């Protein structure tokens, strides 16, 4: 395979995974290179008749690369999310007229923090908070400026997917390796993460009707997790990609110190403590994805789709289900399509969808209202690339979710901007 062709494949994959931001050198020397990347984004959003200015997914990152003996490259990557456009917090006045510190949002929070060692022959080894192996496949539809990424199983439980390892995996060890062939490339990613989070869980009717079992802090937890992804890319037309990913984490529900409450007239009355419980289940997600096109928002078409099946990888809104926990099995799909034209690829029309439904008879039978969880959003937008580092965009969402999922998503109209470092 020609070296320049292989470089094009690897560069395209790396560009997509880091989100199209540009690196700015801070220091370049024979022994070390330090660079900064990231972007600032914000938008005005109208939803339910109310218009507010919102932070986008702004971030700032630093990357250090240090050559080592034997053609190895080592270094680290640190990235923080930034909530920058407003410092005002909800003001909660209590009897002593003090503001509760528990209600102050963080304006700077860690997105990634990992170290790596990389070799052309042996691949890339990394440790820390990083993009999960699962994201090697599901990132291909995660390109909307305002929303998206709701149905691929990546951002489990409405978080960044760190505790399960599907999104930005917490405390993970990973190995990635690519093999280049004539006009194509095959890549594998393998990941393992140890216990990274407590599982604060309460189980209704676990010890009879109108009872509530509460697992004490630090007893129940997210246990070992494993992920794997395989991706094939080829220089066919503008480029194609086919991929499959699987991520699994063990939920350890085990304690000798549980508490059992009886619910009497709506009040929880403690009736037993030091109650043993031992149960174990898994949360897993699997996805396949494909795209055509070099990358989104570049000249011509980019068309991508992901479908997923998962178990216990989603959470229904609080109060929507009774009698069991609100974990549920699901199936979903996402798409992202863009068409770009004009000088310097300045104009883009884009759209797509997120569709996630429950696939769990036990969960659906326990819903307070409705017969399933259904999240359905359809997006359309326009982007103007003002210059290499500045974009303006308009993005709308038409929401067709049912009442169970309505607290998770809704219609919106948004206009915004993004400035890359």
């Amino acid at each position: 395979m020609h070296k320049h062709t292989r470089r094009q494949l690897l560069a395209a994959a790396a560009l997509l995974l880091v989100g199209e931001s540009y690196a700015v050198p801070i220091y370049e020397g024979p022994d070390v290179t330090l660079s900064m990347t990231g972007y600032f984004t914000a938008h005005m959003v109208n939803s339910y008749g109310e218009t507010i200015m919102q932070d986008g997914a702004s971030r700032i990152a630093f990357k250090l690369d240090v050559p080592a003996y034997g053609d190895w490259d080592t270094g680290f990557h640190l990235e923080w999310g930034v909530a920058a456009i407003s410092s005002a917090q909800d003001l909660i006045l209590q009897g002593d007229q003090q503001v509760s510190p528990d209600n102050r949002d963080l304006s700077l929070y860690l997105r990634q923090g990992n170290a790596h060692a990389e070799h052309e022959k042996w691949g890339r080894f990394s440790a820390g908070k990083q993009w999960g192996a699962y994201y090697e496949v599901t990132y291909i539809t995660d390109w909307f400026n305002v929303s998206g990424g709701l149905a691929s199983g990546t951002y489990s439980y409405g978080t960044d997917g760190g505790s399960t390892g599907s999104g930005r995996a917490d405390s993970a060890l990973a190995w990635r390796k690519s093999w280049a062939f004539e006009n194509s490339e095959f890549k594998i990613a393998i990941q393992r993460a140890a216990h990274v989070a407590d599982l604060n869980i309460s189980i209704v009717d676990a010890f009879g009707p109108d009872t509530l079992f509460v697992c004490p802090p630090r007893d129940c937890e997210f246990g070992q997790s494993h992920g794997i992804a395989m991706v094939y890319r080829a220089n066919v037309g503008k480029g194609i990609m086919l991929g499959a990913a699987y991520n699994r984490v063990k939920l350890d529900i085990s304690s000798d110190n549980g508490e059992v409450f009886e619910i009497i007239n709506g009040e929880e009355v403690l009736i037993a403590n030091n109650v043993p419980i031992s149960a174990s289940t898994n949360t897993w997600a699997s996805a396949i994805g494909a795209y055509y096109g070099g990358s989104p928002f570049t000249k011509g078409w980019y068309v991508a789709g992901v479908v997923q099946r998962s178990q216990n990888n989603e959470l229904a809104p609080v109060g929507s289900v009774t009698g069991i926990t609100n974990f549920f099995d699901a199936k979903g799909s996402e798409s992202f399509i863009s068409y770009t034209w004009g000088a310097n690829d300045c104009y883009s029309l884009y759209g797509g969808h997120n569709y996630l439904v429950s696939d769990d008879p036990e969960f659906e039978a326990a819903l307070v209202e409705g017969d399933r969880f259904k999240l359905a959003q359809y997006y359309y937008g326009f982007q103007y690339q003002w210059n290499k580092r500045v974009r303006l965009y308009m993005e709308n969402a038409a929401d067709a979710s049912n009442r169970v999922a309505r607290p998770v998503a809704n219609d919106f109209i948004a206009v915004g901007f993004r400035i890359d470092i």
Side-chain angles (χ1 to χ4, degrees):
M1 180 178 183
H2 297 299
K3 288 185 177 179
H4 74 276
T5 304
R6 180 173 184 271
R7 283 196 299 267
Q8 289 171 350
L9 281 167
L10 294 175
L15 180 66
L16 288 169
L17 207 53
V18 300
E20 286 192 291
S21 57
Y22 301 96
V24 174
I26 297 175
Y27 174 79
E28 292 181 295
D31 299 323
V32 64
T33 299
L34 179 65
S35 58
M36 180 173 64
T37 187
Y39 57 82
F40 181 94
T41 180
H43 27 256
M44 298 292 295
V45 180
N46 180 278
S47 182
Y48 292 129
E50 181 181 9
T51 300
I52 60 175
M53 179 174 282
Q54 289 184 346
D55 276 291
S58 302
R59 65 199 63 179
I60 186 169
F62 297 92
K63 181 181 179 182
L64 182 78
D65 287 297
V66 181
Y69 295 119
D71 296 324
W72 284 89
D73 177 75
T74 63
F76 64 76
H77 176 81
L78 293 173
E79 180 181 290
W80 292 269
V82 182
I85 65 173
S86 175
S87 62
Q89 309 295 329
D90 293 336
L91 188 62
I92 298 178
L93 297 179
Q94 300 175 344
D96 57 3
Q97 300 296 296
Q98 293 182 351
V99 179
S100 171
D102 295 336
N103 290 278
R104 296 181 182 274
D105 295 329
L106 295 174
S107 57
L108 193 68
Y109 55 94
L110 183 70
R111 284 175 54 91
Q112 295 191 59
N114 57 81
H116 72 270
E118 187 170 10
H119 191 278
E120 184 176 357
K121 179 179 179 181
W122 302 110
R124 180 184 179 91
F125 300 87
S126 53
K129 187 173 180 67
Q130 57 190 289
W131 283 117
Y134 192 77
Y135 197 65
E136 293 280 346
V137 173
T138 60
Y139 81 89
I140 65 175
T141 54
D142 194 19
W143 292 109
F144 296 99
N145 286 301
V146 179
S147 186
L150 303 176
S152 66
T154 303
Y155 303 114
S156 53
Y157 311 137
T159 69
D160 68 354
S163 58
T164 61
S166 55
R168 292 188 294 276
D170 287 334
S171 304
L173 299 172
W175 173 69
R176 290 169 165 87
K177 178 72 171 74
S178 298
W179 291 267
F181 306 99
E182 185 65 30
N183 292 321
S184 64
E185 175 197 47
F186 176 75
K187 182 177 183 179
I188 188 169
I190 298 174
Q191 173 187 301
R192 179 184 180 276
H195 159 64
V196 296
D198 289 338
L199 177 60
N200 296 322
I201 190 170
S202 301
I203 304 175
V204 178
D205 297 337
F207 290 87
D210 298 321
T211 63
L212 178 70
F213 174 83
V214 178
C215 192
R218 295 178 297 279
D219 275 16
C220 301
E221 64 182 22
F222 290 88
Q224 301 288 334
S225 71
H226 302 85
I228 185 170
M230 293 177 287
V231 174
Y232 174 77
R233 293 185 176 87
N235 283 331
V236 176
K238 286 192 63 181
I240 63 170
M241 172 269 200
L242 302 171
Y246 177 78
N247 189 83
R248 174 183 175 273
V249 58
K250 185 178 180 182
L251 301 180
D252 294 321
I253 305 172
S254 179
S255 176
D256 293 324
N257 302 301
E259 296 179 324
V260 178
F261 296 84
E262 185 176 2
I263 302 173
I264 303 174
N265 297 325
E267 298 290 330
E268 297 176 5
V269 179
L270 180 66
I271 60 174
N273 53 24
N274 298 324
V275 176
I277 189 172
S278 181
S280 182
T281 186
N282 298 310
T283 171
W284 57 260
S286 59
I288 58 174
Y291 73 63
Y292 171 80
S295 60
F297 306 124
T298 58
K299 191 174 296 293
W301 288 99
Y302 174 84
V303 181
V306 169
V307 295
Q308 67 98 350
R309 294 293 298 267
S310 57
Q311 173 183 289
N312 294 329
N313 200 58
E314 304 292 343
L315 279 180
V318 175
S320 62
V321 65
T322 61
I324 61 171
T325 63
N326 55 340
F327 291 114
F328 66 92
D329 303 344
K331 55 186 177 182
S333 63
E334 295 182 5
S335 67
F336 182 88
I337 302 170
S338 67
Y339 180 74
T340 302
W341 74 97
N344 301 314
D345 300 349
C346 59
Y347 304 110
S348 295
L349 288 171
Y350 67 92
H353 84 286
N354 281 185
Y355 183 77
L356 179 71
V357 293
S358 56
D359 188 28
D360 189 330
E362 183 181 6
F363 165 82
E364 291 162 350
L367 285 169
V368 175
E369 56 182 342
D371 58 0
R372 65 173 177 168
F373 176 98
K374 173 190 171 186
L375 183 152
Q377 281 203 316
Y378 304 92
Y379 308 98
Y380 57 97
F382 174 78
Q383 177 175 289
Y384 174 64
Q385 195 75 34
W386 199 355
N387 61 32
K388 182 179 179 181
R389 299 179 186 271
V390 179
R391 67 175 71 174
L392 309 175
Y393 53 83
M394 178 274 295
E395 185 171 307
N396 301 329
D399 186 63
S401 304
N402 67 2
R403 185 173 298 182
V404 181
R406 191 57 54 84
V408 179
N410 52 268
D411 297 319
F412 67 80
I413 300 173
V415 292
F417 67 91
R418 168 173 152 170
I419 302 173
D420 286 28
I421 291 175

